[in-house]
Amino acid sequence: MTPYMQQVEEVRRVLLQQGHEWRAINPDFVVRMRLQNRFRTGLDIARYTADIMRKDMADYDKDTGKYTQSLGAWHGFVAQQTMMSVKKNFKSLDRRYIYLSGWMVAALRSEFGPLPDQSMHEKTAVASLIGEIYTFLKQADARELRHLFVELDQARAKGANVAPALTKIDNFQTHVVPIIADIDAGFGNEEATYLLAKKMIEAGACAIQIENQVSDAKQCGHQAGKVTVPHEDFVSKLHAIRYAFLELGVDNGIIVARTDSLGADLTQKIPVSKRAGDLGHKYCDFLQATPVKDLSELKEGDITIHQNGVLCKPERLDNGLYAFKENTGFDRVVLDCITSLEHGADLLWIETEKPNLKQIGDMVREIRKVRPEAKLVYNNSPSFNWTMKFREQVYDEWKAAGKDVFAYPDPKKFEKGLMDVKLDDSALALEADRLIQNFQRDAAREAGIFHHLITLPTYHETALGVDMLSSGYFGEEGMLAYVKGIQRQEIRRDLASVKHQDLAGSNVGDDHKEYFLGEKALLAGGAANTMNQF
């Protein structure tokens, strides 16, 4: 980016060319406003963040220790505070993203009120939330840069060295980071997917995640009743998203292809196979079917297919859906992933029922036999009981190794017995916690996971925080519950939110008033402003 003072001189030359009429315009102020509004459109953001993700993907290929992470956000303020916290604590936003969850849009952002994760919310709510998030991230830029401009002005007023302040301005790292945005199953046919993808990209999304479920029967990935589509149907939606990226000039846009096949036992449609070994043939081969020995066995409305030359009747439920053979989920996932990569997907998402490193790694290794570059986005889901699952894993591993587990309840006999708080400081629990703590770095190294996300963390964090505040405030603690539990913590953790007027943009607004009106401007940030207490 062009250095601050160089930009000021360029603007000064433009203003001089306009003559007397523009004499009141201050070139410093023009440059400040430009820097505070670096990204003029969502497409500018999408192109910028796509380049970041592509670089991160290349870096991960060279070093799996350079995996990326994100937290799901359901409001622009949540995303803003996430990135401000990361920057404050780690001095960099490198390899940190935001995840936009369709589940949270349905549960928290629909005009219908709270909805289940079944693609019933308004399509445009997804794109609107992307735009909202980037508005808040840009506002975080404006606020932080404003503090740097004040530092520059103070140095000038004192006749001090301005170089340190200018260096901070010239090396400022924006809070605008990539968003991986959930388009569910595409909200309809290919054209519907294309139109919504365009809205999401125009709002700033550089990465769109789509799953292989049937749009009108879409379920949360951690619920029962999931119905997948044949590969041709899914591939057509991958193409629709790619066309949307290319039409809008985001040539580096990223498509995340998600498969729910591991937990999906049903399909709505039997694809047409035109030749042996094609995708239709492979998909049909997974169907649960019974050989037809005599045509008289067939009833009115029955259909038949050939499975490897044998006439068979596929198992059809009363609702018209078809069942897959048992224990085919692993192989269906592998075929889904290979097919998606062969048709333009950039990253894969395998939805699993538990966070088990071996299970994930086995599938990735099988995929990489055909597509060595395969990388995953993985849902570190709150739908998993992480404590219970990892304690069960350690229990089973210790038992198999002949280690004494007599002091612990057998999870096969006592459901959730290992959750007992009395076990929290036990050797088994501490080993499970160690595995949880290392899960992301281990999975990045051993299971090809490039990006780790938590879909719904801020949903749960909000519920927990409000419960803790409410129980104290409406109880015996009264105001102390807020002061001790929140305000003191904000002050001691140096959170910008403690000065909520500044965070909301009051001081930036005062600056603009001074730019426009000069000394006559009526400012909000004077001596009587109670924020000065902080």
Side-chain angles (χ1 to χ4, degrees), residues 435-500:
L435 292 176
I436 294 170
Q437 182 178 1
N438 294 332
F439 177 78
Q440 293 190 346
R441 64 174 65 94
D442 291 344
R445 182 182 64 252
E446 299 174 25
I449 297 179
F450 157 73
H451 185 75
H452 282 279
L453 60 90
I454 309 178
T455 44
L456 322 176
T458 51
Y459 177 93
H460 293 276
E461 182 273 337
T462 301
L464 176 62
V466 171
D467 178 75
M468 294 171 68
L469 173 61
S470 299
S471 63
Y473 178 75
F474 293 106
E476 291 299 317
E477 287 185 287
M479 193 58 197
L480 182 60
Y482 172 77
V483 172
K484 184 178 179 181
I486 296 178
Q487 192 176 72
R488 284 181 195 167
Q489 299 303 316
E490 285 182 302
I491 294 169
R492 291 167 181 172
R493 293 179 67 87
D494 192 26
L495 265 63
S497 57
V498 75
K499 296 184 179 182
H500 48 257

